[in-house]
Amino acid sequence: MTYSFEETEELSLLRETVRAFARKEIAPLAHQLDKEECFSADLTRKMGALGLFGTIVSPEYGGQGMDYLSYIVAVEELARVDASQAATIAAHNSLGAGPLYYYGNETQKQTYLPDLCHGEGLWAFGLTEPDAGSDAQASKTMATYDKTKDEWVIRGSKLWITNSASELTRGITVQAVTGADDKGRPELSCFLVQTPAAGLTQQVMKDKMMWRASNTGELVFEDVRVPSSAMLGKRGQGFKIMMETLDNGRLSIAAMGLGLAKGALDMALEYAGQRKTFGQAIGKHQAIGFKLAEMATRTEAAENLLYKACCLRQEQKPYQKYAAMAKLYCSEVAEYCAREGQQIFGGYGLMKEFPIERFYRDAALLRIGEGTSEIQRMVISRYLGC
Ligand code: COS
């Protein structure tokens, strides 16, 4: 494995570019957008203009053709400033453009990807349902084939779908039951549903504790018709497509955790150098110095685990176990750093005016979304042969 501890010049430049953008364009708006629970299409378009849509898609479809580690570093730098914007980009690239790029036929790729790579539109991943979260095979959304029109008719609902109900949403990849397989289990297939669509209601989900400036939708399909050419991959291949997409998605959620941990550490370090108690900067007190040391050590370990998983992915080696480990560990480190950072800020850390308060809330999703920590442990234990 050619894992290097030195960043290439190209990767450092990308990191600096995204960091500068996040500090200049996102940081001044993050508090207000969080307070108003507002998804910003303007800011999303700006991230598109920076090249953060279609990062891993090859240039022939309008993408940037980045390697996986570069994409992950871009997500990390966004999350260092604001989890909501990082979530928009992570969900769009890994879960939106990703399945289209990896499983779409030539026509599907030529039709959808250019817009999704140029920052003109978002694509969402419709897996989770009111009664199918961790048990992702329990989908109740049905797709019935109408032979007379050569169309599929979709009926059901999806919940907590990132980027699915915004003014920039162009479509959703939807998992639905299309019959039963030879063992009598539900046969699951994926469909590309362009939005808006007759019979589809897209409702923004409000009153979230975290990621308040990201777009989260509830979707109701009431006999939504799509042509048979809208099937992604083969009939019955839907669950495999969804699961492989989540293997990739875990890397970007891990990147969000790593970025959030680094952001909390940045803030806590700065504050610990300024705030004085008992005649000196609080960072000079062992109680605070040890907290910062622990945060830095765990962040370093999280980075190494995540980057190793990315390098394996890049080299087309088995990476799935490491992706689950990275998702699990980076989420836990993010929550740890946000909590310890908040503790260092004392009473100020409880005030919304201080970004560490938002980081504390935003970290909570990481252990629940895109597969809970318990699911990651289940996946890892299966790889261990348990
Ligand atoms: N890649 C490819 N195929 C996979 C796979 C993966 N990562 N995981 C499972 N499969 C395949 C299996 O090989 C199996 O194929 P066969 O039927 O041909 O043998 C099939 O899918 C069913 O696998 P399994 O029996 O292991 O599925 P389970 O129902 O036990 O579920 C877990 C497996 C728990 C891993 C899955 O349901 C999961 O990841 N749940 C969490 C979902 C999630 O993250 N939801 C949040 C989404 S927010 S975007």
Side-chain angles (χ1 to χ4, degrees), residues 128 133-134 137 185 239 243-244 246-247 250 370-371 382:
T128 303
S134 290
Q137 287 199 78
R185 300 176 304 186
F239 190 64
M243 289 300 107
E244 287 177 356
L246 285 179
D247 286 333
R250 282 172 194 148
E370 276 195 55
R382 285 184 181 186

Side-chain angles (χ1 to χ4, degrees), residues 44 116 214 255 267 313 347 352 361:
T44 307
L116 302 182
S214 79
M267 281 185 256
R313 159 91 181 61
K352 289 194 185 292
R361 283 184 285 112

